[in-house]
Amino acid sequence: MIQIFGTTKNFDTKKAQMWFKERRIPFQFVDLKEKEMSRGEFESVVESVSRAAGSRAEAIELLADKKSKDYASFAYLDDSDKEEKLFENQLLLKLPVCRNGKNAATCGLEVKIWEGWK
């Protein structure tokens, strides 16, 4: 099952939902303002992104939304603190975060990757 983590007011999240709906691919939407990712879900996303990025530190950088108003509080942290800050404040994530089981995850609009998901 595909999960889309985002907020109802985020345009990229709406685009992702529409993309999956148009292709009749079932998904579950999780509004991060109401319910955040569990530690296990967050770990799964970081692991999946780090496989593509090359390292865990690079994955954390990819997952962070550099356009967020709270990014300044994140940018100057040590690498060891960034992951915890991202978990504590999940609205810092680059939305949408889409997860296909425990095997694959994306942040932002990644249509090319989604095309391989069922």
Side-chain angles (χ1 to χ4, degrees), residues 27 50 64-65 70 117:
F27 65 89
S50 67
D65 183 5
D70 295 332
W117 294 3

Side-chain angles (χ1 to χ4, degrees), residues 3-4 10 12 15 17 20-22 26 41-42 47 49 53 64 68 75-76 81 89-90 97 99 103 105 107 115 118:
Q3 289 180 305
I4 300 174
N10 181 275
D12 287 343
K15 287 179 192 175
Q17 288 176 310
F20 285 108
K21 278 181 189 172
E22 287 172 352
E41 289 170 329
F42 183 77
E47 283 297 318
V49 174
S68 171
Y76 300 106
D81 297 331
N89 184 1
Q90 293 183 11
V97 174
R99 190 173 92 130
N103 303 327
C107 58
E115 287 173 351
K118 294 288 176 201

